[in-house]
Amino acid sequence: MRSAKITRSTAETNISVEINLDGSGVYDNQTGVGFFDHMLDQLARHALIDMKIRAKGDLHIDDHHTVEDTGIALGQALAEALGDKRGIRRYGECHLAMDDAQVRCALDLSARPYLICNLEIPTQKIGAFDTELVREFFQAFSTHGGITLHIDRLHGFNSHHIVEAAFKAVARALRDAVETDPRKSDAIPSTKGTL
Ligand SMILES: [Mn+2]
């Protein structure tokens, strides 16, 4: 079973993340940031990764530290659960449509963090959530998960739909990338022999 548990405490946040890559998408995510929980649930459900997250952050300031640090811990958990990445497909991609929004994700579990995030979210807020935190989350997740992560909005005018389509596209791409490739389940998927 490829799983990991990370706890991370700073003066700003206390976070625990438990994931199982070989799960069925069972989730229980509580960060105190409602819209963000909704997005983490999408990530778990559509990646078929079991995910339990608890975050207690300095929400009296704003949601920034909580969202960013959850991205850090989730990325660390992913990297730990993947281990030496033996047998994984490594790459994933998805074009995901949700009503007016279409978002494309291409990712590589490369150990070379790189984020391209072109979502051009039209409003500053979704409910109480600051939409600029979407990039902050994916930056932290990419950096600490060792993911080359490209996310592009192709269409869309509703901020909720654009962001939700982005999380679902990342989830679907991640599902494929972490899956075991039955044609090469004993090998690390790189000509270098290491990832
Ligand atoms: Mn929604």
Side-chain angles (χ1 to χ4, degrees):
M1 203 77 99
R2 299 176 299 168
S3 61
K5 179 170 184 179
I6 298 287
T7 56
R8 186 177 187 279
S9 290
T10 71
E12 296 169 344
T13 62
N14 289 294
I15 293 172
S16 72
V17 172
E18 289 177 64
I19 60 168
N20 175 12
L21 302 184
D22 300 305
S24 56
V26 176
Y27 54 82
D28 176 10
N29 300 314
Q30 297 177 25
T31 66
V33 182
F35 181 75
F36 186 45
D37 289 349
H38 181 41
M39 294 302 101
L40 292 169
D41 294 349
Q42 302 301 334
L43 196 56
R45 174 64 186 82
H46 295 287
L48 299 182
I49 293 173
D50 293 347
M51 187 181 294
K52 181 178 180 181
I53 296 178
R54 291 289 181 274
K56 284 207 182 311
D58 52 3
L59 300 180
H60 60 285
I61 296 175
D62 67 6
D63 299 346
H64 192 114
H65 301 138
T66 300
V67 172
E68 182 177 20
D69 292 1
T70 299
I72 291 171
L74 188 60
Q76 289 172 338
L78 177 70
E80 185 175 313
L82 283 170
D84 69 2
K85 301 180 185 164
R86 188 174 302 275
I88 65 168
R89 291 190 187 276
R90 178 179 166 181
Y91 299 100
E93 60 174 325
C94 180
H95 280 80
L96 195 129
M98 181 175 174
D99 300 337
D100 54 290
Q102 187 184 154
V103 175
R104 178 180 64 208
C105 174
L107 62 80
D108 177 11
L109 299 173
S110 57
R112 293 196 305 276
Y114 199 103
L115 177 69
I116 290 177
C117 186
N118 292 319
L119 288 174
E120 295 166 26
I121 304 163
T123 60
Q124 279 190 327
K125 294 271 192 184
I126 298 171
F129 183 79
D130 292 318
T131 52
E132 67 178 8
L133 299 182
V134 173
R135 165 180 279 277
E136 295 304 307
F137 171 79
F138 284 126
Q139 182 70 67
F141 183 54
S142 158
T143 298
H144 293 270
I147 310 166
T148 306
L149 181 59
H150 294 198
I151 308 166
D152 291 282
R153 185 195 70 160
L154 306 185
H155 317 291
F157 50 79
N158 179 284
S159 295
H160 189 124
H161 293 160
I162 292 165
V163 174
E164 187 162 338
F167 273 83
K168 287 175 168 173
V170 171
R172 272 306 278 244
L174 193 59
R175 171 184 167 172
D176 289 347
V178 305
E179 242 174 32
T180 303
D181 185 343
R183 294 180 61 189
K184 209 73 179 163
S185 61
D186 59 340
I188 292 166
S190 168
T191 54
K192 296 191 191 85
T194 181
L195 264 178

